[in-house]
């Protein structure tokens, strides 16, 4: 059964955040809120966690996982980024965007797109997520909590606990965070490509 954590949205309890971070380091798969919608997350090198996310969401090997980073310095360790792209992403973060970029050697092979060798990265504008990332000290490997055959992500922590009780290890609930996933921008091909229009404003990339 998943452990349920009721987290204050503006002042997340440090002890709770520390407990969740420890569980992630120990191999846990969690459901947690972001500035766009709830996500599934585990530690970067957690092969079992990656497999569990693929199973829950029924994903194939072409799916772009996202490395949810605390800040730009952390993000820069995992992707190759030139000056123009740096400025464009810097201006849009933190926020509800996922950026697809060429992966660095720090990214485990099973997280990359098999042909393009790319990975998704993002810096969320969400108090609870940022507190967890700060405590963890590394990116959180993530995927939107969108279940197979459903048009919108789950939005309520209690419902996530109810429906995913036996397939995740913990649920963080800091209240409703919406149903709209991130806007996805692909910089990996040279030109800017808007892959998905979501919570982030696309006008700056058009």
């Amino acid at each position: 059964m998943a452990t349920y954590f009721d987290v204050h949205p503006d002042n997340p309890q440090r002890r709770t955040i520390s407990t969740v971070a420890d569980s992630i380091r120990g191999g846990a798969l969690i459901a947690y809120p972001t500035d766009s919608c709830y996500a599934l997350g585990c530690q970067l090198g957690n092969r079992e966690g990656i497999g569990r996310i693929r199973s829950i969401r029924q994903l194939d090997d072409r799916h772009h996982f996202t490395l949810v980073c605390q800040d730009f310095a952390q993000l820069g360790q995992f992707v190759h980024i030139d000056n123009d792209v740096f400025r464009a992403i810097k201006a849009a973060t933190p926020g509800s965007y996922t950026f697809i970029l060429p992966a660095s050697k720090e990214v485990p092979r099973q997280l990359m797109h098999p042909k393009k060798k790319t990975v998704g990265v993002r810096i969320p504008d969400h108090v609870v997520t940022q507190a967890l990332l700060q405590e963890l000290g590394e990116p959180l490997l993530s995927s939107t909590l969108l279940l197979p055959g459903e048009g919108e992500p789950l939005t309520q922590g209690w419902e996530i606990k109810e429906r995913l009780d036996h397939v995740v290890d913990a649920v963080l609930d800091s209240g409703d965070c919406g149903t709209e996933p991130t806007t996805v921008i692909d910089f990996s091909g040279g030109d800017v490509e808007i892959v998905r229009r979501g919570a982030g404003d696309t006008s700056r990339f058009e």
Side-chain angles (χ1 to χ4, degrees):
M1 290 179 61
T3 305
Y4 180 82
F5 296 96
D6 188 6
V7 185
H8 194 284
D10 301 314
N11 296 290
Q13 303 91 319
R14 291 189 65 181
R15 181 176 296 180
T16 298
I17 295 298
S18 179
T19 298
V20 175
D22 284 343
S23 72
I24 292 168
R25 294 187 193 101
L29 174 63
I30 70 166
Y32 71 101
T34 76
D35 54 347
S36 57
C37 54
Y38 273 85
L40 295 167
C42 67
Q43 194 172 32
L44 186 59
N46 185 347
R47 286 178 171 270
E48 182 189 358
I50 295 166
R52 290 166 69 188
I53 293 173
R54 288 192 190 278
S55 177
I56 291 168
R57 293 205 52 204
Q58 296 180 14
L59 301 172
D60 61 26
D61 64 358
R62 292 170 296 175
H63 176 74
H64 268 111
F65 283 97
T66 298
L67 303 183
V68 178
C69 302
Q70 181 186 355
D71 53 29
F72 219 93
Q74 193 176 77
L75 181 151
Q77 299 174 39
F78 296 92
V79 291
H80 297 294
I81 185 169
D82 65 28
N83 288 337
D84 289 342
V85 174
F86 174 92
R87 285 190 290 270
I89 294 177
K90 184 79 170 175
T93 56
S96 300
Y97 298 92
T98 298
F99 301 101
I100 297 173
L101 291 160
S104 75
K105 65 180 188 301
E106 303 298 324
V107 179
R109 185 175 297 275
Q110 68 267 27
L111 302 187
M112 300 181 195
H113 187 286
K115 293 183 179 179
K116 298 179 180 179
K117 307 302 182 191
T118 51
V119 70
V121 288
R122 90 181 200 88
I123 302 171
D125 186 13
H126 192 278
V127 172
V128 174
T129 315
Q130 281 289 342
L132 180 59
L133 291 168
Q134 182 176 9
E135 181 67 29
L136 194 59
E138 61 181 290
L140 197 55
L141 168 67
S142 294
S143 183
T144 302
L145 211 174
L146 180 61
L147 297 181
E150 300 194 7
E152 291 187 341
L154 299 178
T155 62
Q156 302 291 338
W158 63 266
E159 183 185 9
I160 294 168
K161 159 73 171 168
E162 195 173 80
R163 295 185 61 183
L164 301 182
D165 202 23
H166 297 290
V167 292
V168 300
D169 301 303
V171 177
L172 275 70
D173 187 355
S174 64
D176 191 340
C177 57
T179 61
E180 199 168 17
T182 57
T183 290
V184 179
I185 309 293
D186 188 346
F187 282 108
S188 66
D191 296 325
V192 179
E193 180 186 355
I194 299 171
V195 178
R196 179 177 71 196
R197 296 177 186 272
D201 180 14
T202 59
S203 61
R204 67 173 72 235
F205 299 105
E206 293 177 308

